[in-house]
Tab-separated table of all heavy atoms in Angstrom:
chain	number	residue	atom	x	y	z
A	267	ALA	N	108.961	89.938	77.644
A	267	ALA	CA	109.321	90.221	79.015
A	267	ALA	C	109.306	88.970	79.886
A	267	ALA	O	109.263	89.055	81.098
A	267	ALA	CB	108.337	91.265	79.595
A	268	GLY	N	109.319	87.812	79.260
A	268	GLY	CA	109.347	86.557	79.997
A	268	GLY	C	107.984	85.995	80.287
A	268	GLY	O	107.857	84.996	81.006
A	269	GLN	N	106.921	86.610	79.736
A	269	GLN	CA	105.565	86.091	79.987
A	269	GLN	C	105.399	84.710	79.337
A	269	GLN	O	106.038	84.390	78.373
A	269	GLN	CB	104.498	87.047	79.424
A	269	GLN	CG	104.618	88.475	79.924
A	269	GLN	CD	105.297	89.341	78.888
A	269	GLN	OE1	106.262	88.914	78.225
A	269	GLN	NE2	104.834	90.576	78.732
A	270	ARG	N	104.487	83.922	79.886
A	270	ARG	CA	104.133	82.649	79.337
A	270	ARG	C	102.597	82.516	79.363
A	270	ARG	O	101.949	82.952	80.324
A	270	ARG	CB	104.744	81.499	80.137
A	270	ARG	CG	106.270	81.434	80.029
A	270	ARG	CD	106.714	81.065	78.626
A	270	ARG	NE	108.165	80.940	78.543
A	270	ARG	CZ	109.011	81.892	78.162
A	270	ARG	NH1	108.516	83.098	77.879
A	270	ARG	NH2	110.289	81.670	78.082
A	271	GLY	N	102.049	81.963	78.312
A	271	GLY	CA	100.595	81.782	78.244
A	271	GLY	C	100.093	80.633	79.084
A	271	GLY	O	98.939	80.564	79.407
A	272	ARG	N	101.012	79.719	79.437
A	272	ARG	CA	100.671	78.545	80.279
A	272	ARG	C	99.569	77.685	79.685
A	272	ARG	O	98.743	77.138	80.389
A	272	ARG	CB	100.315	78.997	81.697
A	272	ARG	CG	101.498	79.634	82.426
A	272	ARG	CD	101.148	80.069	83.843
A	272	ARG	NE	102.330	80.536	84.520
A	272	ARG	CZ	102.828	81.773	84.405
A	272	ARG	NH1	102.202	82.651	83.624
A	272	ARG	NH2	103.894	82.156	85.043
A	273	ALA	N	99.544	77.629	78.382
A	273	ALA	CA	98.659	76.713	77.667
A	273	ALA	C	99.399	76.224	76.436
A	273	ALA	O	100.294	76.910	75.904
A	273	ALA	CB	97.355	77.386	77.267
A	274	LEU	N	99.098	75.011	75.996
A	274	LEU	CA	99.784	74.431	74.861
A	274	LEU	C	99.543	75.248	73.593
A	274	LEU	O	98.434	75.710	73.338
A	274	LEU	CB	99.305	73.010	74.658
A	274	LEU	CG	99.998	72.145	73.596
A	274	LEU	CD1	101.472	72.058	73.873
A	274	LEU	CD2	99.366	70.768	73.539
A	275	ALA	N	100.598	75.486	72.826
A	275	ALA	CA	100.510	76.295	71.613
A	275	ALA	C	99.566	75.656	70.608
A	275	ALA	O	99.520	74.444	70.461
A	275	ALA	CB	101.908	76.495	70.996
A	276	ALA	N	98.831	76.497	69.885
A	276	ALA	CA	98.003	75.998	68.794
A	276	ALA	C	98.910	75.286	67.763
A	276	ALA	O	100.011	75.783	67.468
A	276	ALA	CB	97.248	77.134	68.138
A	277	PRO	N	98.486	74.154	67.232
A	277	PRO	CA	99.325	73.374	66.332
A	277	PRO	C	99.463	74.005	64.928
A	277	PRO	O	98.832	73.553	63.982
A	277	PRO	CB	98.648	72.007	66.273
A	277	PRO	CG	97.203	72.328	66.563
A	277	PRO	CD	97.211	73.482	67.506
A	278	LEU	N	100.322	75.007	64.850
A	278	LEU	CA	100.591	75.680	63.583
A	278	LEU	C	102.081	75.740	63.272
A	278	LEU	O	102.463	76.273	62.229
A	278	LEU	CB	100.029	77.119	63.621
A	278	LEU	CG	98.514	77.263	63.593
A	278	LEU	CD1	98.144	78.690	63.948
A	278	LEU	CD2	97.965	76.934	62.210
A	279	LEU	N	102.924	75.200	64.145
A	279	LEU	CA	104.368	75.420	63.998
A	279	LEU	C	104.956	74.633	62.839
A	279	LEU	O	105.809	75.143	62.110
A	279	LEU	CB	105.072	75.059	65.317
A	279	LEU	CG	104.641	75.873	66.549
A	279	LEU	CD1	105.486	75.483	67.749
A	279	LEU	CD2	104.756	77.379	66.257
A	280	ALA	N	104.554	73.369	62.648
A	280	ALA	CA	105.098	72.608	61.505
A	280	ALA	C	104.604	73.204	60.201
A	280	ALA	O	105.352	73.258	59.201
A	280	ALA	CB	104.658	71.147	61.615
A	281	SER	N	103.352	73.672	60.179
A	281	SER	CA	102.821	74.341	58.962
A	281	SER	C	103.624	75.577	58.648
A	281	SER	O	103.965	75.831	57.478
A	281	SER	CB	101.344	74.678	59.168
A	281	SER	OG	100.593	73.523	59.463
A	282	LEU	N	103.940	76.370	59.684
A	282	LEU	CA	104.708	77.593	59.478
A	282	LEU	C	106.135	77.271	59.065
A	282	LEU	O	106.746	77.941	58.205
A	282	LEU	CB	104.716	78.438	60.752
A	282	LEU	CG	105.380	79.803	60.701
A	282	LEU	CD1	104.818	80.671	59.578
A	282	LEU	CD2	105.239	80.526	62.046
A	283	THR	N	106.688	76.188	59.616
A	283	THR	CA	108.051	75.753	59.251
A	283	THR	C	108.127	75.347	57.788
A	283	THR	O	109.045	75.742	57.068
A	283	THR	CB	108.487	74.583	60.153
A	283	THR	OG1	108.531	74.999	61.517
A	283	THR	CG2	109.871	74.079	59.746
A	284	TRP	N	107.158	74.561	57.341
A	284	TRP	CA	107.158	74.120	55.945
A	284	TRP	C	106.947	75.311	55.001
A	284	TRP	O	107.573	75.388	53.945
A	284	TRP	CB	106.103	73.059	55.719
A	284	TRP	CG	106.095	72.548	54.286
A	284	TRP	CD1	105.135	72.737	53.350
A	284	TRP	CD2	107.131	71.766	53.674
A	284	TRP	NE1	105.507	72.131	52.158
A	284	TRP	CE2	106.725	71.529	52.342
A	284	TRP	CE3	108.342	71.241	54.115
A	284	TRP	CZ2	107.503	70.795	51.448
A	284	TRP	CZ3	109.110	70.501	53.212
A	284	TRP	CH2	108.697	70.285	51.910
A	285	LYS	N	106.111	76.240	55.412
A	285	LYS	CA	105.876	77.435	54.606
A	285	LYS	C	107.169	78.252	54.507
A	285	LYS	O	107.506	78.783	53.436
A	285	LYS	CB	104.755	78.268	55.225
A	285	LYS	CG	104.183	79.320	54.283
A	285	LYS	CD	102.932	79.983	54.886
A	285	LYS	CE	102.308	80.936	53.912
A	285	LYS	NZ	101.131	81.632	54.480
A	286	TYR	N	107.877	78.353	55.625
A	286	TYR	CA	109.179	79.081	55.598
A	286	TYR	C	110.165	78.387	54.679
A	286	TYR	O	110.852	79.016	53.877
A	286	TYR	CB	109.744	79.177	57.006
A	286	TYR	CG	111.204	79.493	57.041
A	286	TYR	CD1	111.671	80.767	56.697
A	286	TYR	CD2	112.146	78.542	57.375
A	286	TYR	CE1	113.023	81.078	56.704
A	286	TYR	CE2	113.513	78.816	57.354
A	286	TYR	CZ	113.949	80.093	57.036
A	286	TYR	OH	115.302	80.385	57.006
A	287	TYR	N	110.218	77.056	54.754
A	287	TYR	CA	111.155	76.316	53.915
A	287	TYR	C	110.852	76.539	52.431
A	287	TYR	O	111.757	76.684	51.604
A	287	TYR	CB	111.125	74.846	54.250
A	287	TYR	CG	111.885	74.000	53.223
A	287	TYR	CD1	113.269	73.996	53.217
A	287	TYR	CD2	111.201	73.290	52.239
A	287	TYR	CE1	113.968	73.278	52.243
A	287	TYR	CE2	111.883	72.576	51.281
A	287	TYR	CZ	113.281	72.564	51.293
A	287	TYR	OH	113.956	71.870	50.331
Side-chain angles (χ1 to χ4, degrees):
Q269 306 99 321
R270 293 292 184 266
R272 295 181 174 83
L274 186 58
L278 289 167
L279 300 184
S281 302
L282 184 55
T283 298
W284 182 250
K285 196 172 185 182
Y286 162 72
Y287 169 75

